Amino acid sequence: MCGITGFATGKHLSADDARILQGMTDALVHRGPDADGMWSDPEAGVAFGHRRLSIVDLSEAGAQPMHDASGRYVITYNGEIYNFPALRKDLEAVGVTFRGHSDTEVLIEACAYWGIEATLKRLNGIFAFGLWDRQQRSLTLARDHIGIKPLYWAKAGSTLLFASELKSMHAHPQFNTAINRNAVAAFMRFNYIPQPHSIYQGAHKLPPGCYLTCDLSGGAPSEPVIKTYWDGLETAEQAAADPFTGSPEEAVDQLSDLLHDAIGQQMISDVPLGAFLSGGIDSSTVVALMQAQSSQPVRTFSIGFSEEGFNEAHHAAEVAKHLGTDHTELYLSSRDALDVVPQLADMYDEPFADSSQIPTYLVSKLARQHVTVSLSGDGGDELFAGYNRYVWGRTLWRTIRTLPLPVRRLVSRSIRGLSPARWNQLTRPIPDRIKPGNPGDALYKLASVVELDGPGAIYRRLVSNWMSPEDVVQQSTEPPGLLWDETMRERFKEPISRMQATDLMTYLPDDILTKVDRASMATSLEARVPLLDPRLIEFAWRLPLSMKLRDGQSKWALRQVLYRHVPQSLIDRPKMGFGVPVGDWLRGPLRDWAEHLLDEKRLREQGLFDPKIVRTHWEDHLSGRRNWHYMMWSVLMMEAWLDRWEHNPPG
């Protein structure tokens, strides 16, 4: 995996521009520690930078930026094209010759021969790239189907910038760092900033499945035009309209074949390769099919914590033992995790508040000590209906819709009649195995849901952190998004399918895949995500819901594939998130750090958050009256980001 960056001005480049490009490229050294490369077209005012993490074709023939054979095109590229051997054969069949063995060369020659959009539609991989057409004087930026690899772009005066990460753009003197308050409001709801927005007013994420073109034939860059070459919602909709009609056994066989092929393609590497293993369904399936195709024990990695309820390492160890992998596990103390917190703002360089970012970084760091590439099981929940909220949301709506609204409001008021702390006391006699970890907070969440008017509203409540972010972020207007798109109800009539489709386009790329990319690349580790092979995405959407949810279990078809390799007894257990005890840490070892960031005077002087609302929630959390750790974590991640990028800007 690599880091890419560049800019296009339309003006003749100077020595200062060369120094700027060097700074932008150096900012991405963690993404590619093996080599750097820079190229420019001084007359056209275009410059590309590249940091290389060598994975396939370790020779100089794979170095970037790279030209095609004709010299017309230049590319800076981050990613892996898994079907590049097949594409290479197709190109060789029509007379295209190759100098090396890299997927980069196949990609640029494919663009030269087939054209950019036709090539994008043929690709199976994870990628982001910038491509300069010297003949047409046109710049193209493109991102993979589902958004596994990041790509930002921005207009800085008359200059167009692009980069894998925002920190690279900071090195350009014209980059506008004015904060986008509306994006902050969205961040407070979701714990991430949804695409196409970014934390800065002038910077944007290129959406997954899209490419951007910018014409410089007239001198200064034209207004960028963004086109879609792969639409996740359209793919899901069309696949669902052509449902799988075979038997359940045939579905499992076909799924197994697709998984086997996708995982096999992603095991191609010229450097050591392994996999993350949590012991859950998704990662265990990936590892099982890796081991089935490997003549040597696959390297697997997991981390454990001593805190009860946050440790799956023993489950992973049991799966690894059964499969015969070369397993490495590391038990970490809370101090090991806490030491990561000061690094988060720099690691993500945009506010990000999914606290599982901490263990994801730690397991990446562990894996990087032994391998350069690691496969992960991300994507299984979205494709095979694995999240608890899918079943919980549908079941709750089916239950409460039979009750008149006045009755539901009465239930809500009755629950709120007692404090969460009092509910915790009253429910103490109930065995822990049949009640949530914090029953008072769970009941209050239920109280906020029973008054809602449909599964869409319930889903929106379940995925929201701050329910009214415009109240806490001053002078903001939350941007509309897919959660409020009324056409989704017609396109996906089944509520669970609608939730899956929404997650596929929002939560998956903007939270899960962002988390994995930044955490892994912070350690110079390439993370691959085989469950998100486009063929698997399409097939999963063809499966009827009964092959995903059956007999009270999620991911039915995926489980059946896994049971062919791992005993059911090692897998079937309640779903556990990959998290850390942030709530307790904020009342304990992180309290001083948090108190500094949440100082009322500081908040008032900044003018971003409403100090009264923030302080009320913080004091409630400290007292134990409420468990507001998710909400406070988003405020703290924003404040930590301000400390790193606003109060102490680079350079």
Side-chain angles (χ1 to χ4, degrees), residues 277-582:
L277 179 61
S278 69
I281 297 163
D282 304 334
S283 66
S284 297
T285 301
V286 170
V287 169
L289 291 176
M290 289 176 71
Q291 191 59 69
Q293 300 179 69
S294 176
S295 59
Q296 301 293 326
V298 170
R299 295 299 308 262
T300 54
F301 306 93
S302 65
I303 58 171
F305 292 99
S306 57
E307 285 87 352
E308 190 66 30
F310 294 90
N311 181 40
E312 286 190 297
H314 54 289
H315 299 305
E318 292 173 352
V319 172
K321 181 179 179 181
H322 176 82
L323 292 172
T325 71
D326 181 359
H327 189 59
T328 301
E329 68 177 15
L330 178 65
Y331 271 80
L332 299 163
S333 68
S334 59
R335 174 46 53 191
D336 294 316
L338 291 169
D339 286 345
V340 177
V341 173
Q343 305 173 47
L344 293 175
D346 194 71
M347 193 183 302
Y348 286 82
D349 74 18
E350 187 171 53
F352 186 82
D354 180 340
S355 60
S356 64
Q357 62 201 125
I358 297 173
T360 303
Y361 168 76
L362 290 169
V363 75
S364 297
K365 184 179 179 182
L366 172 65
R368 188 61 178 92
Q369 296 171 20
H370 306 274
V371 300
T372 310
V373 178
S374 186
L375 274 62
S376 81
D378 296 293
D381 286 313
E382 290 81 4
L383 295 183
F384 297 96
Y387 290 125
N388 293 331
R389 61 175 173 260
Y390 295 155
V391 177
W392 197 82
R394 184 178 67 170
T395 301
L396 180 61
W397 174 243
R398 287 177 174 177
T399 301
I400 67 174
R401 69 180 178 182
T402 61
L403 299 175
L405 184 57
V407 174
R408 286 190 268 142
R409 286 174 175 165
L410 179 61
V411 171
S412 179
R413 285 197 298 270
S414 299
I415 292 173
R416 297 173 195 269
L418 296 177
S419 70
R422 181 59 177 151
W423 280 116
N424 288 341
Q425 292 175 344
L426 292 174
T427 55
R428 278 179 184 166
I430 301 174
D432 290 341
R433 59 185 172 82
I434 60 173
K435 70 178 180 180
N438 197 314
D441 283 324
L443 282 168
Y444 263 59
K445 178 174 279 191
L446 175 63
S448 70
V449 167
V450 295
E451 296 181 280
L452 300 177
D453 61 358
I458 291 174
Y459 170 75
R460 188 158 56 244
R461 172 63 186 89
L462 294 177
V463 300
S464 294
N465 189 28
W466 289 83
M467 284 301 298
S468 301
E470 293 175 1
D471 292 340
V472 69
V473 181
Q474 301 182 103
Q475 302 170 35
S476 70
T477 301
E478 185 180 4
L482 200 59
L483 260 67
W484 292 269
D485 188 340
E486 289 299 321
T487 65
M488 291 291 288
R489 188 174 300 185
E490 288 301 315
R491 298 180 72 176
F492 301 93
K493 292 183 169 55
E494 161 55 48
I496 289 180
S497 296
R498 189 156 65 247
M499 294 182 220
Q500 286 182 267
T502 304
D503 279 343
L504 183 75
M505 302 300 290
T506 58
Y507 181 68
L508 178 63
D510 291 332
D511 186 307
I512 300 299
L513 298 178
T514 296
K515 173 185 66 181
V516 173
D517 175 80
R518 301 306 193 279
S520 60
M521 292 310 302
T523 69
S524 303
L525 176 77
E526 175 178 306
R528 298 180 178 177
V529 196
L531 297 185
L532 293 177
D533 183 301
R535 298 169 299 168
L536 279 166
I537 294 174
E538 182 177 349
F539 182 74
W541 275 99
R542 291 188 63 217
L543 292 179
L545 192 58
S546 62
M547 293 187 189
K548 300 171 187 176
L549 297 172
R550 178 174 292 198
D551 301 326
Q553 276 195 327
S554 64
K555 304 182 185 177
W556 181 83
L558 196 61
R559 287 175 186 267
Q560 306 317 303
V561 174
L562 178 57
Y563 295 159
R564 295 177 176 182
H565 303 270
V566 177
Q568 189 170 343
S569 59
L570 291 184
I571 297 299
D572 288 353
R573 59 183 181 275
K575 184 177 178 62
M576 181 187 296
F578 192 39
V580 287
V582 168

Side-chain angles (χ1 to χ4, degrees), residues 43 142 152 246 394 414 436 539 617-618:
E43 182 183 345
Y152 290 87
R394 184 178 67 170
S414 299
F539 182 74
H617 280 77
W618 176 234

Side-chain angles (χ1 to χ4, degrees), residues 185-259:
F187 166 70
M188 298 303 283
R189 180 180 296 278
F190 298 117
N191 290 329
Y192 58 80
I193 294 177
Q195 54 86 13
H197 312 288
S198 86
I199 186 60
Y200 299 117
Q201 291 180 11
H204 316 273
K205 300 179 181 79
L206 184 65
C210 291
Y211 67 100
L212 174 154
T213 57
C214 184
D215 180 29
L216 279 81
S217 61
S222 66
E223 191 63 27
V225 176
I226 296 176
K227 296 181 180 179
T228 300
Y229 69 88
W230 188 89
D231 187 317
L233 290 181
E234 186 176 290
T235 298
E237 197 173 17
Q238 291 177 353
D242 179 28
F244 183 83
T245 56
S247 68
E249 292 74 19
E250 290 170 331
V252 174
D253 287 342
Q254 192 165 335
L255 176 60
S256 179
D257 290 344
L258 282 170
L259 285 165

